[in-house]
Amino acid sequence: MQIAVVGSGYVGLVAGACFADLGHDVILVDNDEKKLASLNRGEVPIHENFLPELLHRHRGTRLVFSDDLESAVRASAAVFVAVGTPPTEQGEADLSYVESVARSISGAINGYKVIVEKSTVPVYTSDWVRKIILRNTAENAEFDVASNPEFLREGTAVTDFLYPDRIVVGADSERCAVVLREIYAPLADGTYYLRPDAIPRPDRAQIPPPLIVTSAKSAELIKHASNAFLAMKISFINAVASICESVGANVQQVCQGIGTDTRIGPRFLNPGIGYGGSCFPKDLMAFRAVARECGYDFRLLDEVMRINEEQRQRFIRKVRSALWTLRGKKIGVLGLAFKGGTDDIRESPAILLIQSLLQEGCQISAYDPAAHERAREVLNSSIRLAENAYDAAHDADALLILTEWEEFAALDLQRLRNELKYPIVIDGRNLYDPEIMAINGFTYYSVGRPSASPELFPAPPAKPARKSIRP
């Protein structure tokens, strides 16, 4: 099928590349000439596993890039709208880009089209898109507006798209639903997974995934409700971690105890420094705004956001407790992205913590495997960007672990200790076992677990050398 994807940002670029891998012909539309030129040169603007392979595989054949939206609409049976919906000052989603695209689409409808919301939008957006198109096009134009929310995690977006937990299609007519079923048929019937060149299957993938058809409004609500629930799980376990610290319990043991309950499950029960990124903060504010507009005071969402903000302040207090005073202290930081596997620093807890530490008068030396350039744009020259983890730790009064990159969980502990001025590690992601850190000579702080020091867990005494017995 011929498909147009409007917007070459995170969602649009991944969706376009994955639709091409399913066998569709995709026109990816954007009005940013520099970005289009970069994509046509084969450059990949975001750090995402398997995305370079898909762009190399399909660029110029099944996947082409264009700035001509009207031509793309005329050539396509389905148009996926994947433009940004940033928050306004009031926390609502800014839908001006969606409206602008809807106006442009209206003048290019030359036959039956399915207009698909792929951006995360509040409920009723499908109704407004329909009204905008009807106001600006001929009365006999044939089209439907559908909602097809994305459930992509940065760092694993390609596999999340191709091996989804579920495919949600919000269609208010059977004709529209048939088109969307056809688009996703290679996933829903399992034929994609039989191909030898299919992207490798991740663990726990359900094959084939269920395809759930709902109304457009229900699909719009599913996306916001899903992100709100996941954010609630994160804030809940962070609140539990705070209690664990107060009473001397171990939050990881608590997580194991509640996560094995099949009604709860272990995923997202990972205490740390709070959630961030481009989705959870924005979507929670938008969902709360929608609830208020509908006359419901969703105070649970207020508390989820409050706990998330408080978690960062608790971590700053933990750093201050470990170092007594912060002004003039040299701090090594591991992690700038909001999570491992991505270069995205939007609403990154690591960046927000670094900015707080800078205000306290600290000197920061930081390392991230992927997010250096994006962090440089935000932090300018206020920190030193290190070449590797050990360079970030060199001569530091303490080392902070703020992002859960796999390489940060596999450091050479003796080398790390030798680099630090004082062997103090404050781990905001609970990557290490406290006892092992103490045995290796570190004073170690984490989230929701008792602190550990060499005095509490001394290294075992070395075995005495065996004396040689002369005959």
Side-chain angles (χ1 to χ4, degrees), residues 294-386:
C294 296
Y296 182 74
D297 186 7
F298 211 149
R299 286 175 288 178
L300 177 60
L301 298 184
D302 294 334
E303 189 63 15
V304 168
M305 291 185 280
R306 188 198 67 77
I307 292 172
N308 195 59
E309 293 173 2
E310 170 65 15
Q311 197 67 10
R312 294 195 294 267
Q313 298 306 315
R314 289 183 63 87
F315 190 79
I316 290 292
R317 292 196 292 270
K318 196 184 297 287
V319 177
R320 186 179 290 110
S321 175
L323 297 178
W324 189 27
T325 61
L326 296 180
R327 182 167 300 279
K329 293 293 173 59
K330 184 177 180 181
I331 307 292
V333 169
L334 300 185
L336 296 165
F338 85 92
K339 60 176 281 189
T342 179
D343 61 350
D344 195 345
I345 63 169
R346 287 174 291 180
E347 296 296 325
S348 169
I351 296 294
L352 296 171
L353 285 168
I354 287 172
Q355 290 171 334
S356 296
L357 291 169
L358 289 172
Q359 292 176 355
E360 296 271 2
C362 295
Q363 302 172 40
I364 306 292
S365 179
Y367 169 70
D368 189 284
H372 269 196
E373 292 306 314
R374 295 186 185 274
R376 195 190 309 274
E377 297 172 2
V378 172
L379 299 171
N380 299 316
S381 58
S382 55
I383 69 170
R384 185 179 80 89
L385 294 174

XYZ file of all heavy atoms in Angstrom, residues 294-386:
742
model
N -13.118 17.928 31.004
C -14.316 17.080 31.070
C -15.002 17.157 32.430
O -15.999 16.461 32.663
C -13.930 15.628 30.780
S -13.298 15.337 29.115
N -14.451 17.960 33.352
C -15.080 18.137 34.651
C -14.615 17.174 35.716
O -15.235 17.080 36.786
N -13.506 16.456 35.457
C -13.001 15.509 36.450
C -11.653 15.979 36.978
O -10.738 16.251 36.196
C -12.858 14.104 35.854
C -12.374 13.079 36.864
C -13.236 12.601 37.850
C -11.064 12.630 36.861
C -12.800 11.687 38.793
C -10.616 11.715 37.795
C -11.486 11.242 38.764
O -11.054 10.341 39.703
N -11.531 16.078 38.289
C -10.277 16.495 38.923
C -9.434 15.251 39.184
O -9.611 14.568 40.185
C -10.578 17.234 40.229
C -9.313 17.819 40.858
O -8.244 17.761 40.214
O -9.395 18.330 41.986
N -8.497 14.961 38.285
C -7.695 13.735 38.342
C -6.518 13.969 39.292
O -5.360 14.071 38.879
C -7.199 13.383 36.935
C -7.043 11.908 36.688
C -7.240 11.383 35.419
C -6.677 11.031 37.702
C -7.088 10.028 35.163
C -6.529 9.679 37.464
C -6.731 9.177 36.186
N -6.823 14.021 40.602
C -5.780 14.363 41.575
C -4.705 13.299 41.693
O -3.581 13.585 42.123
C -6.432 14.613 42.937
C -7.173 15.954 43.011
C -7.905 16.108 44.322
N -9.078 15.238 44.371
C -9.889 15.152 45.432
N -9.643 15.867 46.513
N -10.935 14.355 45.391
N -5.003 12.068 41.307
C -3.992 11.025 41.324
C -2.815 11.406 40.420
O -1.653 11.176 40.768
C -4.595 9.699 40.870
C -3.640 8.506 40.764
C -2.989 8.205 42.103
C -4.374 7.284 40.234
N -3.102 12.011 39.260
C -2.025 12.427 38.362
C -1.184 13.539 38.989
O 0.036 13.586 38.791
C -2.600 12.893 37.026
C -3.371 11.845 36.206
C -3.791 12.433 34.867
C -2.527 10.596 36.002
N -1.818 14.429 39.729
C -1.059 15.477 40.429
C -0.043 14.857 41.380
O 1.109 15.294 41.458
C -2.006 16.385 41.225
C -2.923 17.197 40.332
O -2.544 17.452 39.182
O -4.020 17.570 40.794
N -0.449 13.828 42.101
C 0.440 13.195 43.070
C 1.556 12.426 42.370
O 2.701 12.410 42.836
C -0.354 12.259 43.973
C 0.432 11.715 45.158
C 0.895 12.798 46.118
O 0.387 13.938 46.030
O 1.755 12.514 46.963
N 1.248 11.784 41.250
C 2.290 11.084 40.481
C 3.383 12.065 40.067
O 4.578 11.787 40.205
C 1.663 10.403 39.243
C 2.755 9.918 38.284
C 0.791 9.235 39.665
N 2.982 13.226 39.577
C 3.971 14.231 39.149
C 4.716 14.822 40.336
O 5.923 15.092 40.261
C 3.270 15.323 38.338
C 2.783 14.830 36.979
S 2.076 16.132 35.933
C 0.431 16.255 36.630
N 4.021 15.023 41.448
C 4.681 15.581 42.628
C 5.752 14.629 43.153
O 6.864 15.047 43.493
C 3.665 15.869 43.728
C 4.251 16.629 44.920
C 3.369 16.527 46.145
N 3.321 15.161 46.663
C 4.300 14.600 47.384
N 5.399 15.283 47.666
N 4.171 13.367 47.823
N 5.436 13.338 43.223
C 6.407 12.356 43.696
C 7.622 12.337 42.772
O 8.769 12.240 43.223
C 5.764 10.958 43.777
C 4.710 10.923 44.886
C 6.824 9.879 44.017
C 3.890 9.648 44.904
N 7.387 12.450 41.476
C 8.496 12.418 40.521
C 9.444 13.591 40.734
O 10.672 13.439 40.692
C 7.948 12.428 39.091
C 8.983 12.046 38.072
O 9.556 10.950 38.125
N 9.273 12.937 37.148
N 8.883 14.774 40.949
C 9.725 15.949 41.201
C 10.444 15.829 42.545
O 11.627 16.180 42.672
C 8.866 17.211 41.154
C 8.302 17.515 39.778
C 7.320 18.660 39.800
O 7.114 19.232 40.899
O 6.755 18.978 38.739
N 9.766 15.307 43.547
C 10.370 15.150 44.866
C 11.510 14.144 44.839
O 12.479 14.274 45.592
C 9.294 14.701 45.867
C 9.816 14.263 47.232
C 10.465 15.381 48.017
O 10.282 16.573 47.665
O 11.175 15.071 48.995
N 11.425 13.158 43.943
C 12.471 12.144 43.885
C 13.823 12.760 43.523
O 14.858 12.334 44.039
C 12.089 11.061 42.873
C 12.878 9.770 43.017
C 12.585 9.030 44.315
O 11.661 9.382 45.040
N 13.375 8.022 44.608
N 13.815 13.747 42.657
C 15.070 14.421 42.300
C 15.613 15.199 43.482
O 16.837 15.231 43.711
C 14.843 15.340 41.096
C 14.501 14.594 39.816
C 14.641 15.487 38.609
N 13.668 16.570 38.602
C 12.487 16.497 37.994
N 12.129 15.388 37.373
N 11.673 17.533 38.015
N 14.736 15.837 44.229
C 15.196 16.592 45.395
C 15.754 15.664 46.468
O 16.734 15.997 47.138
C 14.038 17.425 45.961
C 13.501 18.466 44.986
C 14.593 19.385 44.460
O 15.433 19.879 45.228
N 14.599 19.610 43.164
N 15.137 14.496 46.615
C 15.662 13.514 47.578
C 17.063 13.066 47.175
O 17.919 12.858 48.034
C 14.736 12.297 47.662
C 13.414 12.546 48.352
C 12.600 11.257 48.447
N 13.288 10.266 49.276
C 13.170 10.188 50.602
N 12.397 11.044 51.260
N 13.816 9.245 51.269
N 17.294 12.935 45.874
C 18.616 12.508 45.426
C 19.659 13.591 45.700
O 20.785 13.287 46.110
C 18.584 12.161 43.939
C 19.835 11.479 43.465
C 20.047 10.127 43.704
C 20.818 12.187 42.788
C 21.204 9.493 43.276
C 21.974 11.564 42.348
C 22.172 10.211 42.597
N 19.292 14.845 45.492
C 20.218 15.949 45.804
C 20.555 15.934 47.289
O 21.719 16.132 47.693
C 19.606 17.305 45.402
C 19.544 17.432 43.871
C 20.421 18.453 45.990
C 20.882 17.549 43.190
N 19.557 15.677 48.136
C 19.824 15.605 49.568
C 20.747 14.436 49.888
O 21.582 14.514 50.805
C 18.502 15.485 50.347
C 17.644 16.743 50.286
C 16.573 16.736 51.360
N 15.569 15.718 51.128
C 14.462 15.907 50.425
N 14.225 17.082 49.850
N 13.570 14.942 50.285
N 20.621 13.351 49.130
C 21.500 12.201 49.330
C 22.945 12.566 48.982
O 23.892 12.179 49.692
C 21.014 11.037 48.456
C 21.592 9.672 48.832
C 21.131 8.608 47.842
C 19.633 8.428 47.865
N 19.171 7.735 49.092
N 23.121 13.319 47.904
C 24.469 13.766 47.524
C 25.036 14.690 48.590
O 26.205 14.569 48.997
C 24.430 14.471 46.148
C 25.820 15.012 45.795
C 23.936 13.526 45.060
N 24.210 15.588 49.063
C 24.672 16.524 50.104
C 25.022 15.782 51.385
O 26.013 16.104 52.056
C 23.593 17.574 50.365
C 24.053 18.683 51.324
C 22.966 19.717 51.544
N 22.731 20.517 50.353
C 21.645 20.455 49.614
N 20.670 19.611 49.938
N 21.501 21.225 48.554
N 24.252 14.765 51.724
C 24.541 13.983 52.925
C 25.871 13.249 52.808
O 26.605 13.120 53.783
C 23.405 12.973 53.158
O 23.686 12.125 54.244
N 26.181 12.792 51.585
C 27.431 12.059 51.387
C 28.647 12.971 51.400
O 29.741 12.563 51.808
C 27.371 11.288 50.075
N 28.459 14.234 50.965
C 29.612 15.142 50.807
C 29.608 16.304 51.792
O 30.550 17.084 51.806
C 29.624 15.690 49.374
C 29.818 14.646 48.266
C 29.757 15.313 46.903
C 31.129 13.907 48.436
N 28.563 16.431 52.594
C 28.378 17.481 53.580
C 28.080 18.812 52.908
O 26.979 19.328 52.995
C 29.594 17.597 54.510
C 29.353 18.538 55.683
C 28.162 18.843 56.257
C 30.335 19.289 56.387
N 28.326 19.725 57.288
C 29.660 20.016 57.399
C 31.710 19.403 56.281
C 30.316 20.861 58.280
C 32.378 20.240 57.168
C 31.686 20.955 58.157
N 29.037 19.410 52.224
C 28.789 20.645 51.481
C 29.045 20.381 50.003
O 29.843 19.507 49.645
C 29.686 21.793 51.957
O 31.060 21.433 51.748
C 29.453 22.097 53.429
N 28.397 21.150 49.145
C 28.521 20.915 47.712
C 29.343 21.966 46.981
O 29.935 21.667 45.941
C 27.117 20.839 47.077
C 26.238 19.667 47.541
C 24.882 19.718 46.849
C 26.921 18.343 47.259
N 29.387 23.176 47.490
C 30.104 24.235 46.789
C 31.578 23.874 46.628
O 32.256 23.518 47.587
C 29.965 25.565 47.531
C 30.660 26.741 46.822
C 30.231 28.063 47.396
N 28.794 28.270 47.265
C 28.212 28.694 46.137
N 28.952 28.952 45.067
N 26.905 28.848 46.102
N 32.049 23.955 45.391
C 33.449 23.678 45.099
C 33.775 22.209 44.912
O 34.910 21.868 44.560
N 32.793 21.326 45.142
C 33.062 19.896 45.006
C 33.099 19.514 43.521
O 32.320 20.013 42.707
C 31.992 19.066 45.722
C 32.007 19.235 47.238
C 33.278 18.670 47.855
C 33.405 18.980 49.335
N 32.309 18.471 50.145
N 34.006 18.611 43.201
C 34.121 18.096 41.844
C 33.349 16.781 41.766
O 33.643 15.833 42.498
C 35.585 17.871 41.466
C 35.785 17.417 40.034
C 37.264 17.290 39.687
C 37.436 16.820 38.240
N 38.871 16.671 37.883
N 32.338 16.749 40.893
C 31.433 15.610 40.802
C 31.578 14.952 39.431
O 31.502 15.617 38.391
C 29.965 16.041 41.002
C 29.797 16.829 42.306
C 29.049 14.824 40.963
C 30.008 16.016 43.543
N 31.787 13.649 39.424
C 31.730 12.880 38.186
C 30.317 12.372 37.971
O 29.662 11.938 38.925
N 29.848 12.433 36.749
C 28.486 12.018 36.433
C 28.509 11.028 35.276
O 29.129 11.297 34.240
C 27.600 13.231 36.067
C 26.262 12.768 35.493
C 27.372 14.117 37.278
N 27.822 9.913 35.454
C 27.646 8.943 34.382
C 26.197 8.977 33.919
O 25.294 8.584 34.659
C 28.007 7.535 34.854
C 29.444 7.325 35.342
C 29.697 5.862 35.667
C 30.448 7.825 34.313
N 25.979 9.490 32.732
C 24.636 9.529 32.166
C 24.102 10.931 31.980
O 24.106 11.736 32.910
N 23.632 11.226 30.763
C 22.994 12.496 30.442
C 21.609 12.281 29.819
O 20.713 13.084 30.029
C 23.872 13.295 29.470
C 25.237 13.718 30.013
C 26.161 14.167 28.878
C 25.085 14.848 31.028
N 21.456 11.207 29.067
C 20.155 10.887 28.469
C 19.154 10.518 29.557
O 19.529 10.109 30.658
C 20.303 9.734 27.482
N 17.867 10.627 29.231
C 16.851 10.351 30.264
C 16.756 8.863 30.568
O 16.236 8.477 31.611
C 15.489 10.912 29.834
C 14.665 10.028 28.947
C 13.733 9.154 29.477
C 14.811 10.076 27.562
C 12.958 8.349 28.663
C 14.040 9.271 26.749
C 13.118 8.397 27.297
N 17.275 8.005 29.662
C 17.327 6.567 29.901
C 18.421 5.993 29.019
O 18.893 6.641 28.079
C 15.987 5.901 29.593
C 15.536 6.078 28.153
C 14.248 5.332 27.858
C 14.510 3.862 27.636
N 13.322 3.147 27.130
N 18.833 4.763 29.312
C 19.832 4.117 28.500
C 19.287 3.734 27.133
O 18.095 3.504 26.957
N 20.172 3.690 26.132
C 19.780 3.275 24.797
C 19.308 4.381 23.896
O 18.896 4.124 22.765
N 19.347 5.638 24.348
C 18.885 6.754 23.534
C 19.785 7.966 23.775
O 20.482 8.035 24.782
C 17.428 7.116 23.869
O 17.009 8.226 23.069
C 17.279 7.502 25.335
N 19.732 8.914 22.846
C 20.461 10.172 23.034
C 19.518 11.313 23.407
O 19.904 12.477 23.407
C 21.244 10.537 21.770
C 20.346 10.735 20.552
O 19.142 10.407 20.635
O 20.843 11.205 19.511
N 18.289 10.978 23.746
C 17.270 11.984 24.056
C 17.480 12.530 25.468
O 17.542 11.775 26.437
C 15.880 11.360 23.945
C 14.779 12.401 23.887
O 15.040 13.572 24.208
O 13.639 12.044 23.519
N 17.586 13.848 25.578
C 17.760 14.471 26.894
C 16.541 15.298 27.301
O 16.586 15.996 28.319
C 19.018 15.368 26.931
C 18.880 16.526 25.932
C 20.273 14.555 26.647
C 19.934 17.592 26.093
N 15.453 15.188 26.556
C 14.263 15.961 26.909
C 13.725 15.518 28.264
O 13.487 14.332 28.482
C 13.193 15.801 25.825
C 13.502 16.548 24.546
C 12.491 16.254 23.464
N 12.587 14.881 22.980
C 11.809 14.372 22.019
N 10.873 15.128 21.465
N 11.976 13.121 21.621
N 13.556 16.475 29.167
C 13.077 16.206 30.530
C 13.922 15.132 31.217
O 13.419 14.374 32.046
C 11.602 15.787 30.518
C 10.640 16.843 30.022
C 10.608 18.075 30.914
O 10.739 17.924 32.147
O 10.468 19.182 30.374
N 15.202 15.085 30.882
C 16.078 14.076 31.480
C 16.327 14.387 32.945
O 16.791 15.491 33.283
C 17.420 14.030 30.741
O 18.355 13.240 31.448
N 16.049 13.444 33.860
C 16.382 13.682 35.270
C 17.868 13.965 35.470
O 18.238 14.734 36.356
C 15.963 12.369 35.955
C 14.950 11.763 35.057
C 15.367 12.142 33.672
N 18.715 13.351 34.651
C 20.151 13.591 34.769
C 20.491 15.046 34.499
O 21.257 15.672 35.240
C 20.916 12.677 33.799
N 19.933 15.612 33.438
C 20.199 17.015 33.112
C 19.667 17.934 34.200
O 20.337 18.891 34.625
C 19.569 17.375 31.751
C 20.223 16.571 30.615
C 19.684 18.876 31.482
C 21.667 16.902 30.359
N 18.466 17.646 34.684
C 17.871 18.482 35.736
C 18.696 18.417 37.016
O 18.883 19.441 37.698
C 16.433 18.042 36.002
C 15.466 18.215 34.813
C 14.132 17.544 35.104
C 15.264 19.697 34.508
N 19.223 17.240 37.359
C 20.074 17.114 38.548
C 21.391 17.846 38.361
O 21.884 18.504 39.288
C 20.319 15.642 38.855
C 19.140 14.886 39.473
C 19.391 13.384 39.466
C 18.893 15.364 40.907
N 21.973 17.751 37.172
C 23.219 18.465 36.898
C 23.012 19.968 37.037
O 23.837 20.682 37.630
C 23.742 18.105 35.498
C 24.315 16.679 35.498
C 24.805 19.097 35.028
C 24.677 16.167 34.127
N 21.904 20.470 36.507
C 21.629 21.910 36.623
C 21.479 22.331 38.080
O 21.946 23.405 38.478
C 20.373 22.246 35.820
C 20.583 22.134 34.310
C 19.300 22.259 33.508
O 18.210 21.955 34.000
N 19.400 22.718 32.275
N 20.866 21.482 38.910
C 20.746 21.787 40.340
C 22.116 21.793 41.018
O 22.409 22.665 41.849
C 19.823 20.763 41.024
O 18.511 20.842 40.538
N 22.961 20.840 40.658
C 24.298 20.770 41.246
C 25.155 21.959 40.825
O 25.963 22.470 41.613
C 24.970 19.456 40.854
C 24.369 18.190 41.483
C 24.934 16.944 40.816
C 24.632 18.159 42.982
N 24.985 22.406 39.591
C 25.716 23.595 39.140
C 25.291 24.824 39.939
O 26.125 25.667 40.293
C 25.474 23.818 37.647
C 26.134 22.809 36.692
C 25.640 23.031 35.264
C 27.658 22.915 36.742
N 24.003 24.921 40.226
C 23.523 26.040 41.038
C 24.082 25.997 42.455
O 24.231 27.033 43.106
C 21.994 26.038 41.073
C 21.351 26.368 39.731
C 19.843 26.263 39.765
O 19.250 25.854 40.770
N 19.186 26.616 38.667
N 24.406 24.784 42.914
C 25.003 24.623 44.248
C 26.502 24.915 44.243
O 27.144 24.878 45.291
C 24.775 23.188 44.745
C 23.329 22.814 44.967
C 22.857 23.141 46.371
O 23.656 23.704 47.157
O 21.692 22.841 46.692
N 27.073 25.170 43.061
C 28.489 25.508 42.980
C 29.409 24.333 42.718
O 30.620 24.424 42.936
N 28.865 23.218 42.228
C 29.692 22.045 41.931
C 30.356 22.187 40.563
O 29.872 22.887 39.675
C 28.838 20.779 41.936
S 28.136 20.362 43.540
N 31.470 21.482 40.418
C 32.116 21.324 39.124
C 31.759 19.934 38.608
O 31.948 18.944 39.306
C 33.631 21.462 39.255
C 34.103 22.790 39.849
C 35.591 22.772 40.120
O 36.368 22.249 39.336
N 35.985 23.352 41.249
N 31.273 19.857 37.369
C 30.742 18.611 36.837
C 31.581 18.124 35.665
O 31.871 18.879 34.731
C 29.279 18.767 36.380
C 28.400 19.335 37.512
C 28.734 17.447 35.861
C 28.224 18.403 38.666
N 31.937 16.853 35.722
C 32.556 16.172 34.594
C 31.668 14.972 34.264
O 31.482 14.095 35.112
C 33.971 15.707 34.945
O 34.573 15.027 33.872
N 31.086 14.947 33.045
C 30.041 13.969 32.740
C 30.367 13.180 31.479
O 31.027 13.686 30.560
C 28.695 14.670 32.576
N 29.843 11.963 31.455
C 30.011 11.102 30.278
C 28.705 10.390 29.972
O 28.010 9.924 30.882
C 31.110 10.057 30.514
C 31.149 8.995 29.450
C 31.575 9.294 28.162
C 30.712 7.693 29.704
C 31.584 8.330 27.158
C 30.719 6.717 28.711
C 31.155 7.043 27.441
O 31.160 6.089 26.454
N 28.379 10.319 28.679
C 27.242 9.537 28.196
C 27.630 8.949 26.848
O 28.239 9.638 26.017
C 26.000 10.426 28.043
C 24.745 9.635 27.745
O 24.581 9.181 26.591
O 23.928 9.452 28.662
N 27.316 7.677 26.604
C 27.724 7.058 25.344
C 27.107 7.668 24.098
O 27.647 7.500 23.002
C 27.269 5.602 25.506
C 27.150 5.384 26.971
C 26.722 6.700 27.532
N 25.969 8.369 24.223
C 25.274 8.840 23.027
C 24.820 10.289 23.079
O 24.579 10.890 22.027
C 24.056 7.944 22.751
N 24.660 10.868 24.258
C 23.951 12.146 24.383
C 24.854 13.363 24.518
O 24.378 14.442 24.877
C 22.993 12.076 25.573
N 26.162 13.231 24.239
C 27.069 14.364 24.424
C 26.648 15.597 23.639
O 26.590 16.709 24.183
C 28.497 13.954 24.035
C 29.292 13.427 25.174
N 30.658 13.302 25.143
C 28.922 12.990 26.388
C 31.085 12.800 26.295
N 30.041 12.599 27.057
N 26.393 15.417 22.349
C 26.123 16.581 21.510
C 24.831 17.274 21.911
O 24.761 18.504 21.951
C 26.081 16.165 20.033
C 27.426 15.724 19.488
C 28.510 16.772 19.710
O 28.248 17.972 19.440
O 29.610 16.404 20.164
N 23.811 16.511 22.209
C 22.543 17.117 22.626
C 22.696 17.818 23.976
O 22.118 18.882 24.203
C 21.441 16.058 22.687
C 21.099 15.462 21.324
C 19.911 14.519 21.404
N 19.658 13.866 20.132
C 18.928 14.368 19.140
N 18.383 15.568 19.296
N 18.735 13.701 18.022
N 23.482 17.221 24.874
C 23.698 17.856 26.179
C 24.491 19.138 26.028
O 24.264 20.114 26.763
C 24.412 16.883 27.107
N 25.433 19.157 25.101
C 26.242 20.357 24.895
C 25.367 21.544 24.500
O 25.633 22.692 24.895
C 27.292 20.079 23.806
C 28.422 21.106 23.756
C 29.283 20.910 22.514
N 29.732 19.539 22.355
C 30.827 19.054 22.933
N 31.557 19.829 23.700
N 31.183 17.787 22.724
N 24.310 21.277 23.718
C 23.417 22.347 23.296
C 22.680 22.972 24.477
O 22.350 24.158 24.463
C 22.406 21.806 22.280
C 23.037 21.298 20.989
C 22.027 20.590 20.089
O 20.839 20.557 20.494
O 22.416 20.084 19.031
N 22.410 22.165 25.507
C 21.633 22.636 26.657
C 22.544 23.211 27.744
O 22.259 24.264 28.326
C 20.781 21.482 27.234
C 20.110 21.900 28.538
C 19.754 21.026 26.219
N 23.642 22.519 28.017
C 24.512 22.895 29.136
C 25.665 23.806 28.727
O 26.377 24.322 29.591
C 25.074 21.625 29.790
C 24.019 20.683 30.377
C 24.653 19.366 30.785
C 23.319 21.325 31.573
N 25.853 23.971 27.412
C 26.926 24.818 26.884
C 28.272 24.377 27.448
O 28.621 23.223 27.412
C 26.628 26.293 27.175
C 25.334 26.750 26.528
O 25.081 26.426 25.366
N 24.508 27.470 27.262
N 29.013 25.311 28.008
C 30.346 24.988 28.541
C 30.351 24.914 30.065
O 31.399 25.003 30.694
C 31.361 26.036 28.076
O 30.970 27.338 28.505
N 29.169 24.747 30.656
C 29.090 24.761 32.117
C 29.603 23.477 32.744
O 29.844 23.419 33.949
C 27.642 25.011 32.566
O 26.770 24.050 31.987
N 29.753 22.400 31.945
C 30.320 21.159 32.454
C 31.414 20.692 31.499
O 31.498 21.141 30.353
C 29.260 20.049 32.617
C 28.766 19.565 31.240
C 28.090 20.527 33.458
C 27.920 18.321 31.307
N 32.229 19.770 31.985
C 33.234 19.145 31.121
C 32.669 17.816 30.646
O 32.215 17.004 31.451
C 34.538 18.904 31.886
C 35.660 18.363 30.984
C 36.940 18.155 31.786
N 36.904 16.914 32.554
C 37.311 15.738 32.079
N 37.753 15.630 30.834
N 37.261 14.654 32.841
N 32.682 17.601 29.342
C 32.219 16.338 28.785
C 33.404 15.394 28.668
O 34.369 15.664 27.946
C 31.566 16.567 27.422
C 30.265 17.374 27.464
C 29.762 17.676 26.066
C 29.197 16.638 28.268
N 33.341 14.305 29.404
C 34.457 13.370 29.503
C 34.449 12.380 28.338
O 33.433 12.180 27.662
C 34.379 12.608 30.827
